[in-house]
Coordinates of all heavy atoms in Angstrom, one line a residue:
K167 N -17.6 12.5 -6.6 CA -17.2 11.1 -6.3 C -16.8 10.4 -7.5 O -17.4 10.4 -8.6 CB -18.4 10.4 -5.6 CG -18.9 11.1 -4.4 CD -20.1 10.4 -3.8 CE -20.6 11.2 -2.5 NZ -21.8 10.6 -2.0
I168 N -15.6 9.7 -7.3 CA -15.0 8.9 -8.4 C -14.8 7.5 -7.9 O -14.4 7.3 -6.8 CB -13.6 9.5 -8.8 CG1 -13.8 11.0 -9.3 CG2 -13.0 8.7 -9.9 CD1 -12.5 11.7 -9.6
A169 N -15.1 6.5 -8.8 CA -14.8 5.1 -8.5 C -14.0 4.5 -9.7 O -14.3 4.9 -10.9 CB -16.1 4.3 -8.3
V170 N -13.1 3.6 -9.4 CA -12.3 2.9 -10.4 C -12.4 1.4 -10.2 O -12.2 0.9 -9.1 CB -10.8 3.4 -10.3 CG1 -10.0 2.9 -11.5 CG2 -10.7 4.9 -10.2
S171 N -12.6 0.7 -11.3 CA -12.6 -0.7 -11.3 C -11.7 -1.3 -12.4 O -11.8 -0.7 -13.5 CB -14.1 -1.3 -11.5 OG -14.1 -2.7 -11.6
G172 N -11.0 -2.4 -12.1 CA -10.1 -2.9 -13.1 C -10.5 -4.4 -13.5 O -9.7 -5.1 -14.1
A173 N -11.7 -4.8 -13.1 CA -12.1 -6.2 -13.3 C -13.3 -6.3 -14.3 O -13.9 -5.3 -14.7 CB -12.5 -6.8 -12.0
A174 N -13.5 -7.5 -14.7 CA -14.6 -7.8 -15.7 C -16.0 -7.5 -15.0 O -16.9 -6.9 -15.6 CB -14.6 -9.2 -16.1
E175 N -16.1 -7.8 -13.7 CA -17.3 -7.5 -12.9 C -17.1 -6.2 -12.2 O -16.1 -6.0 -11.6 CB -17.6 -8.6 -11.9 CG -18.9 -8.4 -11.1 CD -19.1 -9.4 -10.0 OE1 -18.3 -10.5 -10.0 OE2 -20.0 -9.3 -9.2
D176 N -18.1 -5.4 -12.3 CA -18.1 -4.1 -11.6 C -18.5 -4.3 -10.1 O -19.7 -4.5 -9.8 CB -19.1 -3.1 -12.3 CG -19.0 -1.7 -11.6 OD1 -18.2 -1.5 -10.7 OD2 -19.7 -0.8 -12.1
R177 N -17.5 -4.2 -9.2 CA -17.8 -4.4 -7.8 C -17.6 -3.1 -7.1 O -17.4 -3.1 -5.8 CB -16.8 -5.5 -7.2 CG -17.2 -6.9 -7.7 CD -16.2 -7.9 -7.1 NE -14.9 -7.8 -7.8 CZ -14.5 -8.6 -8.8 NH1 -15.3 -9.6 -9.2 NH2 -13.3 -8.5 -9.3
A178 N -17.6 -2.0 -7.8 CA -17.4 -0.7 -7.2 C -18.5 0.3 -7.5 O -18.5 1.5 -7.2 CB -16.1 -0.1 -7.7
A179 N -19.6 -0.2 -8.2 CA -20.8 0.6 -8.5 C -20.4 1.8 -9.3 O -20.8 2.9 -9.0 CB -21.6 1.0 -7.3
T180 N -19.5 1.6 -10.3 CA -18.9 2.8 -11.0 C -20.0 3.6 -11.7 O -19.8 4.8 -11.9 CB -17.9 2.3 -12.1 OG1 -18.5 1.4 -12.9 CG2 -16.7 1.7 -11.4
A181 N -21.1 3.0 -12.1 CA -22.1 3.7 -12.9 C -22.9 4.6 -12.0 O -23.7 5.4 -12.5 CB -23.1 2.7 -13.6
F182 N -22.7 4.6 -10.7 CA -23.5 5.5 -9.8 C -22.5 6.5 -9.2 O -22.7 7.0 -8.0 CB -24.2 4.7 -8.7 CG -25.5 4.1 -9.2 CD1 -25.5 2.8 -9.5 CD2 -26.6 4.9 -9.4 CE1 -26.7 2.2 -10.0 CE2 -27.8 4.3 -9.9 CZ -27.8 3.0 -10.2
H183 N -21.5 6.9 -9.9 CA -20.5 7.9 -9.5 C -20.5 9.1 -10.5 O -20.9 9.0 -11.6 CB -19.1 7.3 -9.3 CG -19.0 6.5 -8.1 ND1 -19.6 5.2 -8.0 CD2 -18.4 6.7 -6.9 CE1 -19.3 4.7 -6.8 NE2 -18.6 5.6 -6.1

Side-chain angles (χ1 to χ4, degrees):
K167 300 174 181 178
I168 302 174
V170 189
S171 173
E175 179 184 353
D176 184 359
R177 290 178 286 261
T180 57
F182 282 102
H183 284 74

